[in-house]
Amino acid sequence: MPSLPLPAFRHWMRENGIDLYIVPTADPHSSEYIAAHWQTRQWLTGFTGSAGTAVVTADEALLWTDSRYWLQAAEQLEASGFTLMREGEADVPSPMAWIERTARAFYEQCHCPLAVGFEAETLPWDVYQQLEWLAPCVKNDVCTATDPFATLWPERPALPTSALRIQPVALAGMTLEDKVAQLWTKVRKDYPTEHFKHILLTDLADIAWLLNLRAADIDFNPVFYAYLILHEPSCSGLRGCLYTDISRIPEEVKRYLLAGGIGAKPYEEAYSLFEAEASNADEWMLLEGTNTLLAANARQCFGIHSISLYPSPVETLRAVKNETEQAGFRQAMVRDGVAMVKLLHWIDEQLPESELAVSEKLLALRAKGQGFRGLSFETISAYGPHGAIVHYEPTPESNAPLEARSFLLLDSGAQYDDGTTDITRTIPLGPLTHEARLAYTLVLKGHIALSATRFPEGTTGLQLDLAARRAMWQAGYDFGHGTGHGVGSHLCVHEGPHQIRKNPRPCTLVPFREGMVVTNEPGIYIEGRFGVRIENVLLCRVDGDTPYGHFCRFEALTLCPIDLRPVLWDMISAEERAWLNSYHAEVRRRLLPLLDDEADRLWLQQATEKC
């Protein structure tokens, strides 16, 4: 592999007659986090963030990413040959808008269409359709040339094939058969005029949740690469078929699947499934996120031009946690809270050497917890200026020594058999500036406001977002990332369909319902100096009826003290003090009996004293 892959990549484009190539951060399943095999954008650009789109032409190489990664990308792209496009800024076009402008200019100048290349497996169907709409400026038969990374990336990791394991009903709360029946009931209710007989699931978390199976194909996400077809109950034969690497299925899991009416076939056979299934196009329910290779095959086999994609009904079902899943979250949070208390006491007792030393210590403490399955994402241990880089992850090269001043921002999480955790605490290591204390206090006020909000069931994340931002907006501060995201039940740490954020998007218009889990993580970031974020995981619970509706409130699932040393107390109201005291009393009540070290017990008591 050359030290700078871009020249070799452009040479490959010329040899294959490609004018523009799109490299999304994607795998065939539209996963947020992807296995190393599919990290082609990272290999080509050198940018390691989890979101971004690269576009390469003969003269330009551009990388789009959102505000979470602007500082990180600016550093990592310096020697790559790529230019950073700050996605979301007013004067920055979207990748597709830029491609459209480039294609039209090319057509006007050369009087021929632009040849666009991509990996059809990793390009979402809706993006492909946008390319088709650009005809005649883009070729009607948009180029899907041979995978360039198969030859240009000689050390490309193989596809993962971790062994499947059963998530027992004692942790899942429902059987495979019950979940499949629930899914078909929902489809019939939501689409009463349709006649779906087959559903093709491509989302890895959907498949893992529905089948009560887990694996380890993607770092931090207990999922496995597979497709799943489900047949309506009236169809003869099996309920469905799982397309995955057959060698990864232990005999116990094979028996379990067959008992649930699910067969198994090799992963690659999914790309010819429409040829094997004799049925009409209107009998198939294809879901958003279906990749171009699958959708194009369906269009060809069914002899139709238009393919409709529907929102995943499984995502909506798994977003509402059943009582067993809720109990699992609470149990996992207790074990995670014990590890966090031990870590925070350790940091207070002896200033750790570096950012990585903190990450390594926390991993060792969490690993002692029952049912620990690894981290839920790479730990963000960010000291001082690194805290302003929203998704900074320390490396041996960037690892900063800690000093007895400023903040350490620690955002981390773990996977346990019974739940997934995600927590951020901002820790003062010594004297702070007034601005640092102000930022911390404003973030805390926003965190409390959202946690304490009572709202009618059906309120959306767009509406709830104001609670977290109001105090900082009044002071002239803001943050670019979302305020909250769903969390899986021993699944992906980022889960839809709901989010809390200020930007109108489909995810922010999803009504909140009892049983939904969401994070609460407002922040303030001062470039070059520090960052502040405070995060808990919340559970939406019913809070009674009034003449005006069915009301809900949030239960804080995360159990860990919030550091009060940086707080400017003259800015904290009596109601906010009451919330802090109530939360800390619950943390103390739940965690104190599980701490076997007297020094840890004393530290927790002091950290949760009334304010």
Side-chain angles (χ1 to χ4, degrees), residues 111 332 341 378 416 444 448 520:
H111 307 291
V341 165
E378 192 72 65
Y416 299 92
L444 177 60
I448 294 172
N520 172 9

Side-chain angles (χ1 to χ4, degrees), residues 166-178:
I166 299 169
Q167 180 77 342
V169 175
L171 298 177
M174 292 179 66
T175 65
L176 177 164
E177 294 89 340
D178 287 342

Side-chain angles (χ1 to χ4, degrees), residues 17-38:
I18 298 173
D19 303 308
L20 182 150
Y21 202 94
I22 305 171
V23 188
T25 305
D27 62 11
H29 304 267
S30 294
S31 305
E32 179 184 13
Y33 296 103
I34 56 181
H37 176 83
W38 298 109

Side-chain angles (χ1 to χ4, degrees), residues 19 106-107 111-115 136-140:
D19 303 308
F106 185 89
Y107 186 77
H111 307 291
C112 64
L114 190 76
C137 299
V138 169
K139 286 185 178 180
N140 287 328

Side-chain angles (χ1 to χ4, degrees), residues 9 12 16 18 21 117-120 143-152:
F9 190 81
W12 179 90
N16 287 271
I18 298 173
Y21 202 94
F118 53 83
E119 285 186 275
C143 177
T144 58
T146 305
D147 175 8
F149 304 101
T151 54
L152 296 177

Side-chain angles (χ1 to χ4, degrees), residues 1-5 8-9 12 36-37 39-40 43-44 147-159:
M1 182 183 73
S3 56
L4 290 175
F9 190 81
W12 179 90
H37 176 83
Q39 291 174 4
T40 53
W43 174 83
L44 181 63
D147 175 8
F149 304 101
T151 54
L152 296 177
W153 189 3
E155 298 177 358
R156 185 178 187 179
L159 280 170

Side-chain angles (χ1 to χ4, degrees), residues 426-437:
T426 302
I427 307 155
L429 300 183
L432 300 171
T433 65
H434 176 77
E435 184 177 33
R437 297 185 66 193

